[in-house]
Amino acid sequence: MRSVAFHTLGCKVNQYDTQAMREALTEDYRIVSSEEGADIYIINTCTVTNRADQKSRQQIRNIIRKNPEALVAVIGCYAQRFPQKIAEIQGVDLILGNGEKIGITSFLNGGEKNSRSEIFVKNIDSYSRYDTLSVSKHHSHTRAFVKIQDGCQNYCSYCIIPYVRGKERSRPLENILEEIGGLVRNGFKEIVFTGIRLGSWGQDLNGRTLNHTVQGEVALAILLERVSGIEGLKRIRLSSIEPRDLNEELIDRIAQLPKVCPHLHIPLQSGDNKILKAMNRPYDTFYYRDLIEKIREKMKGVAITTDIMVGFPGEEKEEFENTYDFAKKMKFSKMHVFKYSPRPGTSAAQLKRRVGEQEIKKRSERLLGLSLKMQEEFSRLFLGKTLEILVEKRRRNNYLAGLTDNYIKVAFNGPENLVNKIVRVKIGEIKKGYVIGRLA
Ligand code: SAH
């Protein structure tokens, strides 16, 4: 049997896709870690920013340098976008797009190495149905990602993703339930719903796999209700969801479901209305603030996390300060900060009034500082309280660590056999950003 090793760059969807490809190959190949050395390397790439492109290329070159004899296959978003650029790298054998992930077995063709690189990248817009590869486990042993849809048709002016992930395609309900059932039987207590635009789930399924017509955003509520019924599953977490994809009814219904974690990641991008408009984001700060207020009213102890982009063209000092102040008011419990990176082919890439690199760096650092502060402030709200933790792993100094449903990472002393159990921990102190508790 030939051996295969995977490398993954980028988002949770990519991590899920890698896991699914890994499982699709287990019958015919031996799956190994990169360090063991493999006959075949599959690199699942990312192209969200220029830096992601660079990292993808670096990874490809590194692997070729260390394993000149191996078959090297490059797949995923960067390959979908720039197959020719990858073909220019000496030593790449196979270049596959996102649509080719499902057929990975046939493309590898037993792992025979070719003399020159072959490109198989189909136009991603030709896919109008969700193609299924499924998973039964995940590399972390407690939380598993479950992909429920692919694609995005929002076309934010800065974003390349719609061009590499294609149309919004929802995974059929029964298929999702089946996968989660299997994961729970394999011991997983928490699943994380992932997708490129989670909130669009169900819109293309009307009448087909759901036996009644689904009205817009409420589809997601139906899915969450059905998944909540799975016995043995303890927690359902949503990864990122767009502000416009949350409405009052959806929030109301989610709030009724105890298994759905009080943690929502809602990308804001900017706290300035002019910039939001230029980004083609379909909301303003008033809408966003109202939304957060409604969520906080309905979900007690909810953690709201977000993505913010700095240095979008035309973001002057004033617009940035608006973002900073707005973020502070929103009391996020964490922010992911992205530095704007012009993506060829997007409309924002044409915009003048670019912000300088040094200035972008400074703004990013200020927001990251604010994020740390807000994170600590959020944790402080729970000092002295007893919270449930899903124990993930043992860390140094005998500490165990795990996450609360509202995404606070807590370290505490306890025996190894608590890993993958849900335990009650009293929050005792916060030291240098670490939240420390004691078994209750
Ligand atoms: N719509 C997705 C976001 C996908 S990409 C969601 O629901 O979460 C994740 C993040 O990458 C975005 O939130 C954005 O902040 C960042 N990003 C996307 N395009 C970018 C670009 N051109 N430059 C810098 N950051 C970008």
Side-chain angles (χ1 to χ4, degrees):
M1 255 195 186
R2 286 201 162 93
S3 56
V4 182
F6 281 91
H7 280 268
T8 312
L9 294 109
C11 67
K12 291 190 171 96
V13 179
N14 244 14
Q15 291 179 44
Y16 174 94
D17 290 345
T18 292
Q19 178 60 23
M21 289 190 282
R22 198 179 270 140
E23 293 192 24
L25 293 179
T26 46
E27 272 197 16
D28 304 318
Y29 300 87
R30 207 158 46 83
I31 312 292
V32 296
S33 72
S34 196
E35 296 78 55
E36 292 170 72
D39 301 317
I40 303 165
Y41 284 83
I42 301 176
I43 306 153
N44 191 3
T45 56
C46 172
T47 192
V48 69
T49 56
N50 185 44
R51 178 108 184 89
D53 287 358
Q54 273 170 13
K55 277 196 199 160
S56 298
R57 278 198 302 271
Q58 238 168 43
Q59 183 77 266
I60 298 165
R61 280 201 217 96
N62 259 333
I63 286 166
I64 293 171
R65 189 165 40 78
K66 288 190 196 141
N67 311 276
E69 303 299 315
L71 183 148
V72 175
V74 180
I75 198 163
C77 293
Y78 181 50
Q80 181 73 44
R81 191 72 188 140
F82 294 117
Q84 295 299 345
K85 273 199 191 157
I86 298 172
E88 282 164 19
I89 305 177
Q90 274 284 323
V92 175
D93 298 279
L94 257 181
I95 299 154
L96 308 169
N98 278 325
E100 286 68 36
K101 285 174 173 171
I102 188 152
I104 185 72
T105 321
S106 58
F107 288 109
L108 285 187
N109 193 23
E112 219 50 69
K113 198 169 159 66
N114 274 329
S115 52
R116 61 189 176 84
S117 58
E118 287 191 283
I119 301 178
F120 301 98
V121 178
K122 204 170 146 191
N123 176 2
I124 197 70
D125 281 322
S126 62
Y127 296 88
S128 51
R129 271 197 180 212
Y130 184 91
D131 261 335
T132 302
L133 271 181
S134 57
V135 306
S136 63
K137 49 182 190 266
H138 198 74
H139 62 252
S140 122
H141 295 294
T142 46
R143 298 200 300 157
F145 298 156
V146 172
K147 179 169 157 184
I148 65 164
Q149 67 83 239
D150 208 329
C152 177
Q153 285 158 234
N154 272 349
Y155 296 98
C156 299
S157 64
Y158 50 79
C159 190
I160 196 69
I161 312 286
Y163 307 91
V164 293
R165 285 285 181 173
K167 292 184 192 135
E168 290 159 4
R169 285 127 37 224
S170 304
R171 187 173 183 181
L173 176 66
E174 294 305 326
N175 195 252
I176 297 173
L177 294 174
E178 215 173 281
E179 177 163 292
I180 299 173
L183 288 164
V184 171
R185 278 194 296 283
N186 284 341
F188 289 92
K189 301 214 164 47
E190 177 174 325
I191 56 133
V192 183
F193 274 6
T194 58
I196 300 297
R197 187 183 160 206
L198 261 198
S200 74
W201 185 84
Q203 316 250 4
D204 55 328
L205 291 180
N206 291 1
R208 189 143 62 81
T209 31
L210 294 166
N211 44 13
H212 49 91
T213 307
V214 173
Q215 293 291 310
E217 294 88 317
V218 181
L220 200 58
I222 297 175
L223 175 63
L224 288 165
E225 284 157 9
R226 289 293 298 277
V227 173
S228 286
I230 297 176
E231 217 177 300
L233 177 66
K234 302 283 190 238
R235 287 179 175 178
I236 307 159
R237 200 180 292 279
L238 295 175
S239 65
S240 192
I241 184 158
E242 287 293 330
R244 282 310 302 220
D245 289 338
L246 284 162
N247 62 15
E248 202 154 358
E249 180 171 359
L250 182 56
I251 297 163
D252 271 337
R253 285 168 72 172
I254 293 179
Q256 300 303 312
L257 298 169
K259 287 186 188 177
V260 178
C261 294
H263 169 211
L264 294 173
H265 185 88
I266 312 172
L268 168 68
Q269 309 304 0
S270 170
D272 181 88
N273 286 330
K274 279 193 307 293
I275 297 292
L276 283 173
K277 199 152 182 229
M279 288 176 162
N280 196 27
R281 302 284 292 169
Y283 58 87
D284 57 19
T285 51
F286 305 104
Y287 172 89
Y288 193 95
R289 193 194 53 212
D290 274 2
L291 180 69
I292 303 301
E293 270 172 18
K294 272 185 200 130
I295 295 169
R296 291 211 163 107
E297 252 167 51
K298 286 168 183 165
M299 299 173 92
K300 235 187 77 210
V302 66
I304 314 260
T305 52
T306 200
D307 289 351
I308 295 196
M309 191 186 300
V310 290
F312 187 83
E315 185 187 75
E316 305 286 336
K317 289 235 157 53
E318 184 188 335
E319 288 81 15
F320 172 70
E321 292 307 329
N322 286 344
T323 295
Y324 189 94
D325 294 342
F326 187 73
K328 196 169 169 187
K329 274 192 209 128
M330 288 302 102
K331 297 189 163 62
F332 293 115
S333 48
K334 195 175 185 175
M335 301 191 287
H336 295 167
V337 182
F338 291 80
K339 301 188 187 98
Y340 172 69
S341 161
R343 307 277 64 210
T346 61
S347 62
Q350 317 284 331
L351 295 176
K352 306 270 176 334
R353 300 175 64 204
R354 292 269 180 84
V355 183
E357 220 173 288
Q358 279 311 310
E359 183 60 28
I360 290 184
K361 192 160 169 255
K362 251 174 43 198
R363 291 179 191 175
S364 163
E365 278 160 12
R366 266 188 71 201
L367 280 177
L368 286 171
L370 175 63
S371 175
L372 280 179
K373 248 202 256 154
M374 292 196 291
Q375 191 172 352
E376 182 160 337
E377 272 161 32
F378 183 70
S379 301
R380 280 197 189 286
L381 297 175
F382 300 91
L383 268 176
K385 301 224 161 81
T386 298
L387 304 175
E388 287 189 342
I389 312 265
L390 175 56
V391 185
E392 290 206 335
K393 58 181 175 219
R394 177 165 293 288
R395 299 198 313 185
R396 279 161 293 140
N397 314 330
N398 256 1
Y399 272 113
L400 289 174
L403 288 170
T404 63
D405 57 1
N406 60 357
Y407 221 58
I408 301 174
K409 187 179 232 164
V410 184
F412 63 99
N413 252 312
E416 186 85 30
N417 64 6
L418 293 184
V419 171
N420 200 25
K421 300 228 162 66
I422 291 184
V423 299
R424 292 168 62 77
V425 169
K426 185 168 175 183
I427 309 300
E429 59 175 328
I430 296 165
K431 244 191 348 213
K432 291 189 195 141
Y434 287 98
V435 180
I436 301 172
R438 196 155 26 83
L439 276 171

